[in-house]
Amino acid sequence: MVTGVTSLSVVRDELFTTIDEAELSLEQFIAERDNGSLLQQAVENLQQVRGTLKLIELAGAEMLAQEVLQQATDIPAGAGEERDGQLSALSNALHVLRRYLEIVDAHRQEVPELLLPAINELRQAGAQPVLPESFFFSVRLDHGRPASNPPAVAFDPRSVEVKRLRHMYQIGLLGFLREENSTASLKLMLRAMARLDSLLANDERGRLCWIAAAALEAQVDGQLLPRKTRKVLFSRLDRELKQLLLSASYEAPRNLLKELLYLVVLADSRGARATQVREIFSLLPLPFTDHLLEESYQRLAGPGQAVMRSLSSAIRDELSGLKDQLDLIERGTVSADGLSHLHAVLGKMAKTLGMVGLSSAGNALQAQLPVVTGWIDQAPIEPGQLLKLADAVLYVESMVASLDHDARYDSRSSEAKPGDEATSFANHQLNEARIVVIDEALGGLALAKRSITAYLESNGEKLNLANVPFSLQAVRGGLWFLDQPRAAVLVGACADYIEKQMLETQQMPSEQMLETLADALTSLEYYLEGGAVLRPETSPSVLDLAAESVRALGLSVAA
């Protein structure tokens, strides 16, 4: 790799010139599809680019150039609209290749992983299977899971507990696939996988659950992005779980294990599971992180979420200035120039909001422009008009929050017609209050889980649970306030179990029962953290899962 980076500077000018010529020929061919000589000239230039990259040993860049060459060779003269996807992918790939080589030349380091999106876009356009994220990653896969304490009961794949755990994984997976609070969904999946790992213990089949739990832990701790490849990976893991439960001689596919291990090393998590797996498989840190890769992808291909967040910040600054202007108007100290400036800012912001998809917010400001025009023309400033303008500004402020992609608040639910901004803003404020209650409830559930863990580790020291029933009853009250009676009943059942079976009795519940109690609290935590209180239609079966765990504790709850 060092040789390739060093040699690039020697051939740089000629290589870039050849890439430019290939791009130009390809662009001309896209406009003149019957001119086969243009396509042939592009192919010849691409052959020279591929050969040069092979000579200087830039493996990733050579692979992309090879894919481009294969696709270009496959396109016939006179290609019709059915080839537009391939031609677009070719143009994009050449742009990415040039930008990548510029980055390599500037930073003196090759990162072939940056080229995988462009390579896979080409392969998809040519109806070829895509390459996995771990394509450039190497690891030995013959290390076994370390021995651990056997479970209290023999593993039974048909047991109610195992079915409940797989159900838990599937609910979390569904939330992850929909990107409905990915972190909460991943935690639910991790909980299920870790529990399956402990039940399988020294069973050879447990090796997959052990590595998968480490990968999920890494995905959470490293805040890895919910890429399509990872959604496919964790969906495949669910299918493999089904096979694992059906066959006592199950052996996990090696390419699946490699993909999971790649996530572990990419995140560089300090979690207990990920750390153990890294040590046993001798995984060395990568020279990049997932977020650095994403930033580099965006430099290669264009703007992304970071741009939207910057835009959101800029709009909020403008809104702050608008509110200052409204304050001056109310005091009667605004000048004619100030009103003209206000009109200009409102018009500019209305257009900007429309461009970023917040058309309702843009229309709200647009509707106020004639009013401000009247003020400029010496019309009296009516208090009612000023109040409506203030309502519009507050409404826009609440809508702009959606540019930061808060998973628990969907701005579309409060889109308003011009004139209804006050009602919409009030609804937004109510949602904000509900979120505060949810955050308090999540804190209570987290406290309960930590206390149960401390209770277990201290061999039944009841002081660890002293405040838990009171805390859970407070959570229960918050859920009644949020009009969530079923969730409130389930939280109350957990509080009753802790009070009666853990505080008022001398005998400590079995570890399995404590794990089941933690499963119930985890499901309720997911229900809250996953946004189900604000959008209950997104998680219809989460409370069913919590109810299953509560019933497994021996408590009676309504279906």
Side-chain angles (χ1 to χ4, degrees), residues 57-75:
E57 299 179 8
L58 284 177
E62 181 201 344
M63 177 176 289
L64 178 56
Q66 177 64 31
E67 292 286 346
V68 173
L69 179 59
Q70 287 179 353
Q71 295 283 340
T73 305
D74 181 58
I75 294 175

Side-chain angles (χ1 to χ4, degrees), residues 28 69 104 342 436 547:
Q28 291 176 337
L69 179 59
V104 170
L342 175 64
V436 171

